[in-house]
Amino acid sequence: MLVGRGEELAVVDGLLAGAAAGRSGVLVVRGEAGIGKTALLDAAVAAAGDGPRVLRGTGTEFESALPYSGLHLLLRPALGRIDALPGAQAGALRTALGMGEAAPSGGDRFLVGLAVLTLLAELAEERPLFCVLDDAQWLDLASAEALVFAARRLHAERIAVLFGVRDPHTPAFRPDGFDELRLRRLDPAAAGDLLTLYAADLHHHERQRIQREAEGNPLALLELTAARREGHGLSYDGPHGRIEQGFAARIGALPEASGTLLLVAAAADEGDAGTVFEAAGLLGAGVTDLAPAEAQGLVRLDGGRLVFRHPLIRSAAYRSGPAARRLAAHRALADAGGGHRAAWHRAQAQAAPDEGVAAELERSGEQVRARGGHAALATVYERAAALSPEPVERARRLGSAARAALDAGQLDRAGELAEAARREQGGDATARARVAEIAAEVANEQGNLSRAHVLLLDAALPIAAAEPQDAARMLFLAVGSAWVAGDPVAAAGAATAAAELDLPGGPAIQALARVSSSDAGVRTAALRALREASSGPLGDLREGLRAACWNGLLGDHRVAYERAGAVERECRAQGAVGLMPRALLEVAQAQLRLGLHRDALAGGTEGLRIASDTGQTRTRAQLAAALAQLAAARGDEAWFQELGALSDAVDLPDVRHLRTSAAILLDLGLGRFEAAADRAAAAPAGSACTCCGRDADEVEAAVRAGRPDQGREAFDRLAELARHLDGPAVHAVLARCEGLLAGGSGTGGSGVGGGSGVGGRSAAPSREPEEHFRRALDLHAARDTDRFEEARTGLLYGEWLRRSRRPVDSRGPLRAAQEAFDRLGARPWADRAAAELRASGESRSGPEAESLADRLTPQELQVARLAAAGLTNRDIGSQLFLSPRTVGYHLYNAYPKLGVSSRVELARLDLAT
């Protein structure tokens, strides 16, 4: 019976009712030890009755080093359904749970998360599903990641998920962004009611003392009551300490064999009763010794598992008593078990370094590696290192632990392990280089590119003679870090070192260093060399993304779009969730430059969500900066600020450049020309990360703000870049800027209806600006130029024509510009074009009729397009990392917006941007 928890029960009941009605939900129940989380979860399961299917699991501290142990426990009743999942997902989940041979995808932790989502959604098709994870803070990292990844994608599946989390908790489990319910201590009235129910046999003054000592903690109230009855005197260490002391006292009062059995059960990492009884038998305890513990309500046998009534009982059973007893329990479990679990228990039983035990544990780690449990593998290697008598082996195993932690996304832990390995290595240059490469990857992911560069450079040079391929790779990465960090001197230094050593791959290293050059000719020639080197078949997915990057930086956005799109499609086919954000970043950047704003919004938003879910801070910041360009074009200041907060997570030159460029564009669109010119003047000039955007915007801002000299400086930089680029896009924008400068500050004026000069009308307008504007529009008409930039050119040309007293001639380009801006959702720009049209005498200048695609959200548009192409809900879910039911939900919402009622009708629609 729960006392004083009526409000909390109502919250949980609401979650279950929502799931029954078709609305999935996730709730994190937080609170200190003994506060009643488990009791609340028990009550929720009882209240659910026979309606929903219930899956339940509990994290334990001693299982946290075993990959997917928590997930296996939760999904155990549904393991027979795995074969019905899509092939790649089924293989990944079977591998993760140790069911058969490893799949080609291994235990990819994000693909496992997608498989969990699909499996839960399949179960919920039959009836609502209730998933309860108690003590989730002790979930192994692999299970936690998979479950959180799946939970973030729940929407319309009829699934309710409850995570019980003890505060303070270990950082491995990060259920950020979900609704939370914090359990507070009971108020005095509720505490008194609880004691009246459970301690009526005690005197009033005894109940009052218990109430004072328990401080509103429900479990403390009950355990202190039991201690009073049994005559145990407990030292005061707060309610938490008193609870565990109480449990320890009750365990100590049991027969010795029963205490031994509980210790073995507490040390066991899976709770399998057969293994526990076999191991306990080696220590003189048996099945019959379970009865006294069961009678005390400490443990119970449940479906072949020994289950402790509360996690603090397990903790008390393990920690009470001498350390020698714990070591003996682990030795017995090692003798009773096999495989990795036996090796792990043998390592836990070892109090001093032992190479044989360390080697056995390291070999067993291959089972962990095959299942994709990188965090657990790091723990295995770290423990093996601690058991290694020799410094060389200790250093090697610490390096392996650092690599595994990095693969698990545990950046801080990887850095600490790499530093520990470095201290053990002595003079082994090759070993130091491997560890330095790991530390550099950590620094790169954290945005500290200068440190990454130094680490790679210092480690590569000493191994150049013995390991030339490795040294060349590290120097290439060192140059890349310096380039992205905006340090051309460092990039050139690393390239010079590579040239002097005559390493393989030297031309690529030299070319990458020259990308940092301030000389546009040198920079573009280097990019062409890199593009040529990566122009072959798709091959490695990461190399495909680099190829897309080189093409994009050279202004060949169509090829960049095709290369990045091919990688994106392959990622979806393979379920390579971890690489998806980077692929979607490259695709979105190309789409923005091609004027495919709606597509960029859909893909970029998806990439941002996945990057957040997978902890890719740097990529998330880059995606936010790219989407900030879109927010700026739309004039959406609130969204722009929101994206800015995300992009501020890392301090990188390319992110800062994109943010500043977007801010200038936002100011321009909203008519804040002085602010745009000031911002452009204060920003560092140019970047290899863009073709022409900021310089062209600075020209416009400077001309409109009456600063021709600033405009000419930006124009000169743009003209120099255009001399070395072949595509029509940069030359179209250059011609537009020539028209702006030739027309003077009156080209745009400061508002509709004003004069063409700063103080009034110009005399006889020159034909020269018109020639530039018309040439710009001709170049824009070529394939693969930016629709947004073309519309901007049409707007500026129309403004110039109207101010040159040619209102009738101005209407054509102004009307085309307004229609394009309307299609792109660039509201402030469309408003300006409409105002100009009205000033020209155009009687009908309202917004263009809304397109079909405009009616849908980005996610609905993605789903509708794939459905129109003939994909099933399940296929669409696999591609978009959604459940089939959520796909159906989006289609259900999209159909009435589009005026259709079936896939057949949907396939007839034009959903292009």
Side-chain angles (χ1 to χ4, degrees):
M1 179 176 180
L2 288 182
V3 175
R5 296 300 189 200
E7 294 181 5
E8 291 85 348
L9 279 170
V11 172
V12 176
D13 287 344
L15 179 76
L16 295 176
R23 301 184 307 275
S24 293
V26 182
L27 182 66
V28 179
V29 180
R30 292 187 178 278
E32 63 186 19
I35 202 65
K37 299 181 298 298
T38 301
L40 182 68
L41 299 179
D42 287 342
V45 171
D50 296 329
R53 182 195 303 269
V54 177
L55 296 179
R56 186 161 189 179
T58 301
T60 63
E61 182 178 1
F62 309 103
E63 291 181 347
S64 59
L66 296 171
Y68 296 111
S69 57
L71 188 64
H72 191 283
L73 178 61
L74 178 73
L75 298 180
R76 188 171 51 173
L79 296 181
R81 309 286 288 268
I82 292 178
D83 288 341
L85 299 178
Q89 295 180 32
L93 188 53
R94 276 197 301 267
T95 298
L97 300 180
M99 299 170 59
E101 294 295 322
S105 60
D108 182 292
R109 60 191 191 277
F110 304 127
L111 184 56
V112 172
L114 181 59
V116 171
L117 172 65
T118 306
L119 179 59
L120 296 181
E122 295 277 353
L123 293 172
E125 283 291 330
E126 299 164 4
R127 54 180 168 142
L129 180 65
F130 187 16
C131 298
V132 182
L133 277 300
D134 198 2
D135 270 311
Q137 76 278 354
W138 292 127
L139 284 173
D140 61 280
L141 182 62
S143 293
E145 284 182 330
L147 290 168
V148 170
F149 183 89
R152 290 198 195 286
R153 282 158 179 75
L154 295 177
H155 190 76
E157 298 82 1
R158 302 196 302 170
I159 298 174
V161 180
L162 272 174
F163 291 113
V165 180
R166 185 194 303 177
D167 283 333
H169 69 279
T170 57
F173 182 65
R174 300 180 184 276
D176 304 323
F178 297 129
D179 290 338
E180 291 191 355
L181 176 63
R182 291 189 174 271
L183 297 189
R184 308 296 179 185
R185 295 187 180 186
L186 297 180
D187 60 36
D193 290 343
L194 185 63
L195 286 174
T196 299
L197 284 170
Y198 290 96
D201 57 317
L202 299 181
H203 290 299
H204 177 68
H205 73 275
E206 289 183 297
R207 292 201 301 270
Q208 285 185 318
R209 182 179 177 185
I210 291 171
Q211 186 169 338
R212 286 195 304 272
E213 292 179 349
E215 298 176 5
N217 185 290
L219 187 58
L221 288 164
L222 299 180
E223 292 308 312
L224 289 175
T225 297
R228 283 284 188 281
R229 289 196 185 105
E230 296 168 13
H232 299 308
L234 306 177
S235 61
Y236 188 74
D237 188 23
H240 309 158
R242 295 294 289 272
I243 297 170
E244 193 161 335
Q245 286 178 45
F247 285 138
R250 293 169 67 184
I251 292 169
L254 293 172
E256 182 179 352
S258 297
T260 297
L261 179 63
L262 289 186
L263 171 60
V264 173
D269 48 36
E270 56 181 335
D272 176 67
T275 303
V276 169
F277 287 136
E278 182 179 349
L282 298 175
L283 299 176
V287 177
T288 58
D289 298 306
L290 180 63
E294 284 185 309
Q296 286 288 319
L298 298 172
V299 69
R300 72 180 189 276
L301 192 60
D302 181 11
R305 297 184 78 250
L306 281 174
V307 180
F308 287 92
R309 179 168 63 83
H310 193 278
L312 288 178
I313 301 175
R314 176 192 276 266
S315 180
Y318 186 78
R319 290 187 171 87
S320 60
R325 291 185 67 232
R326 289 194 290 274
L327 298 181
H330 282 294
R331 278 194 295 272
L333 285 164
D335 292 341
H340 170 64
R341 292 179 186 274
W344 177 253
H345 282 297
R346 210 174 319 279
Q348 293 298 93
Q350 191 66 34
D354 185 303
E355 177 57 30
V357 175
E360 179 190 3
L361 181 59
E362 183 179 13
R363 287 192 298 271
S364 78
E366 289 306 310
Q367 298 176 32
V368 179
R369 184 192 304 279
R371 294 172 63 179
H374 300 293
L377 184 60
T379 300
V380 167
Y381 280 124
E382 189 175 8
R383 179 61 179 154
L387 292 172
S388 304
E390 297 299 324
V392 172
E393 286 300 294
R394 194 156 56 244
R396 181 182 64 78
R397 286 164 177 153
L398 283 169
S400 297
R403 166 56 64 186
L406 180 62
D407 291 340
Q410 296 177 312
L411 299 184
D412 292 338
R413 184 186 183 193
E416 291 167 1
L417 288 166
E419 177 59 25
R422 186 193 64 77
R423 290 195 298 267
E424 295 281 356
Q425 279 161 349
D428 188 339
T430 300
R432 283 203 310 274
R434 292 197 177 97
V435 171
E437 193 165 0
I438 295 169
E441 285 189 60
V442 172
N444 261 321
E445 286 299 318
Q446 293 176 330
N448 192 348
L449 284 94
S450 297
R451 171 171 166 74
H453 169 81
V454 171
L455 285 167
L456 290 163
L457 180 61
D458 289 349
L461 299 181
I463 67 168
E467 306 283 351
Q469 292 284 357
D470 289 344
R473 184 189 68 256
M474 293 175 71
L475 286 174
F476 184 86
L477 294 173
V479 172
S481 294
W483 166 51
V484 178
D487 190 346
V489 175
T496 299
E500 290 172 351
L501 294 168
D502 193 26
L503 293 175
I509 297 173
Q510 305 305 317
L512 184 58
R514 290 194 297 273
V515 171
S516 300
S517 173
S518 59
D519 185 304
V522 173
R523 190 165 69 241
T524 52
L527 286 169
R528 286 193 178 92
L530 290 167
R531 179 175 66 178
E532 183 62 28
S534 59
S535 61
L538 183 60
D540 177 72
L541 296 181
R542 295 182 186 276
E543 183 58 35
L545 293 180
R546 281 192 285 270
C549 177
W550 308 140
N551 280 284
L553 295 177
L554 285 166
D556 197 343
H557 302 299
R558 176 59 60 179
V559 175
Y561 180 33
E562 291 168 353
R563 295 301 297 258
V567 174
E568 178 200 349
R569 289 189 293 275
E570 192 62 27
C571 286
R572 294 192 190 279
Q574 294 181 14
V577 185
L579 193 58
M580 273 294 293
R582 175 62 54 179
L584 289 168
L585 171 63
E586 294 294 341
V587 170
Q589 287 178 326
Q591 288 168 332
L592 281 169
R593 295 300 179 190
L594 292 170
L596 304 173
H597 287 195
R598 194 176 291 104
D599 290 344
L601 173 61
T605 302
E606 180 188 8
L608 196 63
R609 185 175 65 252
I610 298 173
S612 297
D613 290 349
T614 53
Q616 299 181 55
T617 304
R618 178 180 166 189
T619 303
R620 184 184 69 171
Q622 291 169 317
L623 275 158
L627 285 173
Q629 302 271 336
L630 188 54
R634 291 173 169 241
D636 191 335
E637 286 195 271
W639 187 32
F640 179 85
Q641 295 301 328
E642 179 184 335
L643 291 166
L646 291 175
S647 65
D648 285 341
V650 298
D651 184 25
L652 291 175
D654 62 333
V655 174
R656 291 197 302 270
H657 180 89
L658 287 170
R659 276 284 312 283
T660 302
S661 298
I664 293 169
L665 180 63
L666 179 67
D667 286 336
L668 274 179
L670 297 175
R672 302 189 297 231
F673 305 126
E674 289 281 350
D678 289 343
R679 197 186 300 274
S687 167
C689 296
T690 187
C691 292
C692 58
R694 185 192 292 179
D695 290 332
D697 290 346
E698 185 171 358
V699 171
E700 182 174 344
V703 168
R704 289 183 174 277
R707 304 180 191 178
D709 290 342
Q710 180 183 344
R712 290 189 187 95
E713 289 177 10
F715 176 82
D716 289 343
R717 292 194 299 270
L718 179 58
E720 176 62 18
L721 178 62
R723 282 199 319 113
H724 303 286
L725 293 176
D726 303 325
V730 64
H731 293 281
V733 173
L734 180 67
R736 181 179 81 205
C737 290
E738 287 183 284
L740 273 167
L741 288 168
S745 61
T747 301
S750 57
V752 175
S756 58
V758 174
R761 297 172 181 265
S762 61
S766 166
R767 298 289 297 175
E768 185 181 6
E770 181 169 19
E771 293 170 1
H772 293 312
F773 284 128
R774 292 183 68 84
R775 185 170 77 257
L777 288 172
D778 287 342
L779 288 166
H780 279 305
R783 181 176 178 267
D784 297 337
T785 59
D786 190 333
R787 301 176 190 177
F788 179 63
E789 294 298 327
E790 181 178 5
R792 288 179 64 184
T793 298
L795 173 60
L796 290 171
Y797 180 33
E799 288 176 339
W800 180 85
L801 286 169
R802 191 184 70 76
R803 285 164 175 73
S804 298
R805 304 173 187 171
R806 297 166 58 186
V808 175
D809 292 340
S810 74
R811 293 171 190 164
L814 288 172
R815 193 179 301 114
Q818 184 197 358
E819 291 172 355
F821 289 137
D822 279 329
R823 285 194 300 273
L824 293 168
R827 189 76 269 139
W829 300 87
D831 290 344
R832 276 175 47 190
E836 284 287 338
L837 273 170
R838 288 193 297 272
S840 75
E842 176 77 68
S843 59
R844 296 169 61 186
S845 59
E848 184 188 54
E850 181 184 51
S851 72
L852 289 175
D854 283 328
R855 302 174 186 174
L856 306 180
T857 67
Q859 189 99 87
E860 288 168 356
L861 180 59
Q862 284 183 304
V863 169
R865 283 177 171 169
L866 292 172
L871 275 69
T872 66
N873 286 8
R874 202 177 207 210
D875 293 335
I876 296 170
S878 294
Q879 287 209 19
L880 299 182
F881 310 123
L882 301 170
S883 75
R885 194 175 182 92
T886 291
V887 170
Y889 172 84
H890 286 306
L891 281 176
Y892 177 82
N893 287 336
Y895 280 174
K897 294 179 182 180
L898 298 173
V900 299
S901 59
S902 69
R903 272 177 155 82
V904 174
E905 295 176 84
L906 186 66
R908 299 182 186 133
L909 300 181
D910 179 12
L911 296 178
T913 52

